[in-house]
């Protein structure tokens, strides 16, 4: 075969077909998951394997013959991956593949192979495979660029099948636009209408095409109706008009986000609903400020509590007495305006006034700042530092871990 001849690209359908992998090291560890996903009947021939490869065998995803290669192993195979550390075995297996006309990939000698493995990525039913001959790093870079473009909508690839109208409840994450999920960003790029919360990642709205209608949920006119009911009505109205609607929320739709109320209203109206989880500020904002909500030897638990009503409010569903007795981390959301009453209740129920507290305002954004205090001083610190929502409050010994030496990246 001419060495300069280009490879002929083709997609192999290996479901139920015998595939032989020679060698259980790092190369096999990287390549095996795709073969498993393809439904191949995989036989691994190797005296040893990495723990990850061994776990695949234990789970029944492949058959592992714990021995060296021997002639005849490639009989009836459709495809072979030769990746052992034994050059002689690799050469012999490659020769056998040639005799049996089995397409063969060689990790140690691409020129001796009859097939090359492309840099492959998948998104929403599309498989992108890139070959650049002898430059695998460039192949990977091109693949990543194409996949990212398809995922975030920057690479124009319109769908030619009809889209189903409906609503996607998308968690936008804690504020940094880079922290929305890949799926959430793709759905935003495909939306006709976006109904956004104030705490959603606002920078992403600037990237939307001009034809996309962006609606500020806080400004939906609702008259005598409850604001949430008006939002539900707007979602239903636009979806019934045949639009692809994204309800963009901060954090996660189901963590104090009323996402379930919206999902139930849409389901009752016969509207298709997709829920896209988001990174919750309860965990991500402390992390961005250098605070782990759990740390070995410090906290074995963390509790997330809404502070939108004070402890003495009859509407409160929180058992503050039980929370005060816990030894782990307490994370408060929507609690800036009531932190004084909350701190007093925890101290009155037995939590030490000297318990470390951190208040992180505008977490993960360029405006992020952290104010440290104790349970006994946090109300004064919040007032003195003029802390305003949105902010996440962390109470517990984990606040002192790392002494605040980390920050948003």
């Amino acid at each position: 075969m001419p060495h300069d001849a280009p490879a002929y690209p083709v997609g192999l359908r290996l479901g139920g077909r015998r595939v032989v992998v020679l060698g259980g090291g790092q190369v096999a560890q990287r390549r095996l998951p795709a073969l498993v996903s393809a439904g191949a009947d995989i036989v691994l021939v190797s005296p040893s394997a990495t723990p990850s490869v061994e776990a695949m065998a234990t789970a029944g995803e492949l058959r592992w013959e714990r021995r060296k290669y021997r002639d005849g192993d490639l009989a009836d195979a459709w495809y072979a991956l030769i990746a052992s550390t034994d050059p002689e075995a690799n050469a012999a297996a490659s020769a056998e593949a040639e005799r049996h006309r089995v397409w063969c990939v060689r990790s140690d000698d691409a020129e001796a192979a009859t097939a090359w493995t492309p840099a492959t990525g998948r998104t929403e039913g599309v498989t992108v495979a890139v070959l650049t001959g002898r430059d695998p790093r460039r192949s990977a870079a091109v693949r990543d660029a194409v996949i990212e473009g398809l995922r975030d909508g920057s690479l124009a690839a319109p769908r030619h099948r009809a889209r189903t109208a409906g609503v996607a409840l998308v968690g936008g994450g804690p504020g940094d636009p880079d922290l929305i999920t890949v799926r959430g960003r793709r759905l935003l790029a495909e939306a006709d209408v976006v109904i956004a919360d104030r705490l959603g990642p606002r920078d992403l709205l600037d990237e939307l095409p001009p034809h996309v209608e962006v609606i500020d949920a806080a400004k939906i006119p609702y008259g005598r109706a409850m604001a949430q009911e008006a939002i539900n009505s707007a979602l239903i109205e636009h979806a019934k008009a045949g639009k692809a609607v994204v309800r963009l929320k901060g954090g996660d739709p189901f963590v104090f986000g009323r996402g379930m109320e919206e999902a139930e209203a849409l389901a009752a109206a016969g509207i298709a609903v997709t829920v896209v989880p988001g990174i919750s500020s309860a965990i991500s904002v402390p992390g961005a400020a250098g605070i782990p909500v759990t740390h070995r030897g410090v906290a074995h638990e963390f509790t997330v509590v809404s502070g939108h009503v004070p402890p003495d409010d009859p509407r409160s569903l929180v058992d503050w007495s039980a929370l005060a007795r816990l030894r782990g981390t307490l994370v408060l959301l929507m609690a800036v305006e009531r932190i004084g009453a909350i701190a007093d209740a925890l101290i009155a129920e037995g939590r030490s006034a000297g318990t470390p507290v951190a208040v992180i305002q505008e977490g993960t954004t360029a405006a992020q700042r952290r104010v440290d205090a104790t349970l006994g001083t946090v109300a004064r610190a919040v007032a003195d530092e003029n802390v305003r929502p949105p902010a996440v409050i962390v109470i517990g010994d984990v606040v002192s871990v790392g002494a605040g030496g980390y920050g948003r990246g």
Side-chain angles (χ1 to χ4, degrees), residues 10-397:
V10 66
L12 297 181
R13 303 176 63 188
L14 295 174
R17 295 184 168 97
R18 179 182 172 91
V19 171
V20 177
V21 178
L22 180 59
Q26 294 295 327
V27 173
Q29 182 175 316
R30 292 197 309 269
R31 303 299 183 199
L32 279 168
L35 292 171
V36 171
S37 297
D41 176 17
I42 305 169
V43 178
L44 172 67
V45 177
S46 180
S48 60
T50 68
S52 294
V53 172
E54 185 172 358
M56 294 181 202
T58 301
E61 295 177 313
L62 54 87
R63 288 175 288 136
W64 181 16
E65 299 190 8
R66 305 189 186 203
R67 58 174 176 79
K68 293 183 178 182
Y69 163 80
R70 56 177 178 245
D71 189 55
D73 280 340
L74 271 58
D76 300 322
W78 292 73
Y79 181 79
L81 170 60
I82 297 177
S84 83
T85 57
D86 183 346
E88 293 184 2
N90 291 347
S94 184
E96 181 185 357
E98 187 73 19
R99 292 196 306 272
H100 291 299
R101 298 184 179 181
V102 176
W103 293 112
C104 173
V105 173
R106 290 276 299 268
S107 66
D108 60 337
D109 187 353
E111 291 299 331
T114 54
W116 291 338
T117 302
T120 306
R122 296 172 180 83
T123 179
E124 289 298 312
V126 176
T127 299
V128 176
V130 180
L131 285 171
T132 55
R134 300 165 185 82
D135 193 349
R137 290 187 179 180
R138 187 182 181 206
S139 296
V142 173
R143 171 205 59 197
D144 292 344
V146 173
I147 290 293
E148 179 64 21
L150 290 173
R151 284 175 172 171
D152 65 21
S154 60
L155 180 61
R159 298 169 184 257
H160 293 284
R161 67 177 186 272
R163 288 187 301 170
T164 302
V167 176
L169 305 179
V170 176
D176 184 337
D178 285 344
L179 295 180
I180 190 173
T181 63
V182 169
R183 190 178 190 190
R185 191 156 191 155
R186 179 184 58 77
L187 287 172
L188 262 182
E190 297 177 355
D192 299 311
V193 178
V194 177
I195 299 179
D197 277 347
R198 179 178 65 87
L199 298 181
R202 294 168 295 180
D203 292 351
L204 291 175
L205 301 179
D206 292 336
E207 301 176 4
L208 297 174
H211 73 273
V212 178
E213 182 179 1
V214 178
I215 301 172
D216 183 346
K219 296 181 179 179
I220 292 179
Y222 52 90
R224 294 182 180 179
M226 293 294 292
Q228 186 59 58
E229 294 175 0
I231 292 171
N232 295 349
S233 296
L235 292 170
I236 293 169
E237 176 187 349
H238 287 288
K240 284 191 171 181
K243 303 294 182 63
V245 183
V246 166
R247 175 73 169 103
L248 182 62
K249 295 173 169 288
D252 182 276
F254 288 174
V255 180
F256 305 132
R258 298 189 178 182
M260 195 60 190
E261 295 177 40
E262 295 171 355
E264 289 176 338
L266 291 162
I271 304 297
V273 182
T274 299
V275 177
V276 182
I279 299 175
S280 174
S281 61
I283 301 171
S284 58
V285 167
I291 301 171
V293 293
T294 64
H295 189 70
R296 185 169 57 177
V298 178
H300 289 176
E301 67 195 31
F302 68 93
T303 306
V304 182
V305 180
S306 170
H308 72 288
V309 295
D312 60 354
D313 193 304
R315 297 172 299 167
S316 176
L317 302 176
V318 179
D319 188 340
W320 292 101
S321 176
L323 289 179
R325 295 193 301 271
L326 295 177
R327 299 173 62 186
T329 305
L330 183 60
V331 180
L332 305 178
L333 304 182
M334 301 178 288
V336 170
E337 297 174 352
R338 297 167 184 83
I339 186 56
I342 291 172
D344 289 345
L346 291 172
I347 293 171
E349 296 292 346
R351 196 79 182 243
S352 170
T355 303
V357 178
V359 183
I360 306 107
Q361 180 179 335
E362 301 283 356
T364 76
T365 73
Q368 174 179 307
R369 65 172 176 139
R370 169 178 171 173
V371 175
D372 284 84
T374 65
L375 202 56
T377 64
V378 64
R380 174 61 64 85
V382 165
D384 290 348
E385 296 292 335
N386 195 30
V387 177
R388 292 287 181 266
V392 175
I393 301 174
V394 186
I395 301 171
D397 291 337

